[in-house]
Amino acid sequence: MEYVIVTGMSGAGKSTALKIMEDIGYFCVDNFPIPLLEKFVEFADSGETQFQRIAFGMDIRNGEALQQLSGIIQNLRARGNCVQILFMDASDEVLVKRYKETRRTHPLAMTGRVDEGIQKERECLSFLKEHADYIIDTTHLLTRELKKELDKIFVENGKFDNMMISVLS
């Protein structure tokens, strides 16, 4: 059984990534409650389901339970489960622009400024980014380019090191 935790910044493309993963054969659940993760994995491992690859969308909407995720992932890995973390990210400027375009409120900015909510979210999710198996920055990615990256990772089983190169001229 293969499990992928799709997480990251709100507005960075987690829902799009989950749709793409569903197209490549994953059973996907968005906004999955973290306290239920271990029970769900036990159920899936029991053989009572036909799913072989499952992706869970988990993010800041889980609130305080988010802090439990690191320990739960360690427990699952210790039991021999293959659990990977895919972290979706984008620059603050692009995230603000995306929120303005969609006219949605940031989960942590309710009545405040979007950029303040983004900063709070970065702080809350920093531990997940540090332990991520894959980090995809969608700042300059089109949906088809994101699909290509996810295909490389989850279909072609490409091995990647989290390295970023910036070229300035």
Side-chain angles (χ1 to χ4, degrees):
M1 193 72 72
E2 181 182 333
Y3 303 100
V4 179
I5 308 292
V6 180
T7 189
M9 298 299 295
S10 299
K14 293 182 305 295
S15 295
T16 302
L18 284 169
K19 289 175 187 173
I20 293 168
M21 292 183 77
E22 193 169 40
D23 290 343
I24 60 177
Y26 280 81
F27 175 76
C28 297
V29 185
D30 195 9
N31 201 15
F32 192 81
I34 291 170
L36 298 179
L37 182 59
E38 286 183 286
K39 292 287 186 192
F40 188 92
V41 169
E42 285 176 23
F43 170 72
D45 286 343
S46 71
E48 293 184 42
T49 177
Q50 76 274 15
F51 309 120
Q52 294 302 310
R53 303 184 323 169
I54 302 173
F56 301 99
M58 297 180 178
D59 55 35
I60 202 70
R61 295 174 291 178
N62 267 284
E64 296 295 320
L66 190 63
Q67 298 307 314
Q68 301 170 10
L69 187 56
S70 182
I72 292 171
I73 291 171
Q74 287 176 349
N75 290 342
L76 292 174
R77 286 177 175 167
R79 286 190 229 147
N81 290 296
C82 177
V83 181
Q84 299 175 36
I85 301 172
L86 170 63
F87 191 93
M88 306 297 293
D89 202 358
S91 71
D92 290 357
E93 297 79 25
V94 168
L95 293 174
V96 169
K97 180 182 171 205
R98 289 176 184 170
Y99 271 98
K100 285 182 180 177
E101 287 174 353
T102 61
R103 296 185 181 186
R104 297 188 70 201
T105 58
H106 188 279
L108 297 181
M110 296 305 176
T111 58
R113 295 172 43 112
V114 172
D115 58 338
E116 291 172 359
I118 290 170
Q119 196 56 41
K120 288 179 194 171
E121 184 177 24
R122 279 204 190 283
E123 292 168 13
C124 292
L125 296 178
S126 63
F127 76 97
L128 281 172
K129 188 172 183 180
E130 288 174 20
H131 294 97
D133 297 290
Y134 307 102
I135 299 172
I136 298 180
D137 188 328
T138 63
T139 300
H140 303 290
L141 285 184
L142 300 172
T143 303
R144 70 174 178 267
E145 294 168 326
L146 175 59
K147 181 184 180 343
K148 193 180 294 185
E149 290 300 312
L150 292 174
D151 281 346
K152 283 181 197 175
I153 297 169
F154 297 107
V155 176
E156 301 167 16
N157 294 320
K159 297 293 180 193
F160 296 92
D161 290 324
N162 293 331
M163 177 172 56
M164 181 183 290
I165 299 174
S166 297
V167 179
L168 299 173
S169 64

